[in-house]
């Protein structure tokens, strides 16, 4: 199991990135909560990782904090939740929002996440309620709620934002509409993704 990687951020194509560790490039997929906190390309970066081994691929997921990885692991333990849906949940909702949904047993927000229908949302809330009991009252529970880093405009930022939303499970038309609605000069792809997700959920 690869538990942590320290290296240099070599490439950033939301929601994927490449981390150069002594000349070896690791491709990772990250939730938007991690993406918002990434440094500039060429800067040092340490990520906590989770490796998923499938018959046809070895997939590496990266997280800025151990708590993010812990939440990811809790989610993929749930019946019917794979890594893709776990990342969509973590990207579409801030952690405190997800906790509030679970505590209130509110399906209305969850069903707006791609891949989550009403029945799935109800089942997730029931299963998460028990699992989140262990999280309640833990210092830093909401520490995953992060502000985007200041960044200048990035070439093709709009295309990157649309691609990231599509990879999270949104339909291309939905992704394009959401990004167009919040498009502004000078926004980085991370800022666009964050604003678009807020508008969709």
């Amino acid at each position: 199991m690869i538990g942590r990687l320290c290296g240099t951020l070599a490439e950033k194509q939301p929601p994927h990135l490449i981390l150069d560790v002594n000349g070896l490039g690791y491709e990772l997929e990250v939730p938007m909560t991690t993406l918002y906190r990434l440094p500039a390309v060429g800067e040092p970066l340490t990520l906590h990782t989770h490796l998923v081994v499938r018959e046809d691929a070895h997939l590496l997921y990266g997280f800025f904090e151990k708590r993010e990885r812990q939440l990811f692991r809790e989610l993929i333990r749930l019946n019917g939740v794979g890594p893709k849906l776990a990342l969509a949940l973590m990207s579409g909702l801030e952690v405190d929002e997800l906790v509030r949904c679970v505590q209130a047993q509110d399906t209305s927000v969850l069903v707006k996440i791609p891949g989550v229908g009403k029945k799935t949302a109800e089942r997730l809330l029931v299963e998460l309620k028990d699992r989140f009991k262990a999280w309640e009252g833990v210092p830093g529970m909401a520490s995953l709620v992060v502000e985007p880093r200041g960044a200048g405009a990035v070439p093709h930022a709009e295309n990157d934002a649309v691609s990231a939303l599509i990879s999270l499970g949104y339909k291309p038309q939905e992704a394009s509409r959401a990004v167009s609605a919040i498009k502004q000069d000078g926004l980085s792809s991370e800022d666009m993704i964050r604003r678009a997700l807020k508008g969709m959920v």
Side-chain angles (χ1 to χ4, degrees), residues 21-193:
V21 181
N22 297 323
L24 184 61
Y26 288 89
E27 186 177 60
L28 300 101
E29 194 164 343
V30 298
M32 295 304 136
T33 46
T34 289
L35 184 81
Y36 301 144
R37 305 173 73 175
L38 292 178
V41 170
E43 294 291 316
L45 175 64
T46 296
L47 290 176
H48 302 280
T49 59
H50 180 85
L51 178 65
V52 173
V53 178
R54 299 191 329 211
E55 282 184 19
D56 58 343
H58 287 201
L59 304 170
L60 198 56
Y61 297 89
F63 307 92
F64 202 82
E65 295 183 356
K66 282 186 178 179
R67 286 187 172 279
E68 288 181 302
R69 183 178 64 185
Q70 186 181 348
L71 176 60
F72 178 78
R73 287 175 172 172
E74 288 292 342
L75 290 172
I76 62 174
R77 284 190 188 111
L78 299 177
N79 196 14
V81 177
K84 184 173 182 179
L85 182 53
L87 283 189
L89 285 164
M90 291 177 69
S91 297
L93 294 171
E94 302 285 9
V95 173
D96 61 343
E97 291 172 320
L98 183 55
V99 171
R100 275 198 301 271
C101 281
V102 172
Q103 288 172 340
Q105 294 291 287
D106 178 11
T107 60
S108 62
V109 177
L110 285 183
V111 295
K112 294 179 184 175
I113 305 291
V116 181
K118 192 167 190 298
K119 285 185 178 177
T120 304
E122 289 168 353
R123 183 172 48 75
L124 287 175
L125 290 177
V126 170
E127 292 188 40
L128 283 171
K129 191 168 188 179
D130 291 334
R131 292 186 180 273
F132 275 8
K133 279 179 185 171
W135 285 62
E136 288 172 14
V138 177
M141 174 60 197
S143 65
L144 301 182
V145 182
V146 295
E147 292 303 317
R149 298 175 65 91
V154 179
H156 312 297
E158 187 180 343
N159 290 338
D160 286 350
V162 171
S163 296
L165 293 175
I166 292 170
S167 73
L168 288 172
Y170 290 98
K171 293 175 183 168
Q173 302 93 324
E174 290 176 327
S176 295
R177 261 200 311 272
V179 172
S180 294
I182 54 82
K183 190 168 63 174
Q184 232 176 294
D185 286 343
L187 283 182
S188 68
S189 57
E190 290 91 339
D191 291 336
M192 286 189 184
I193 294 163

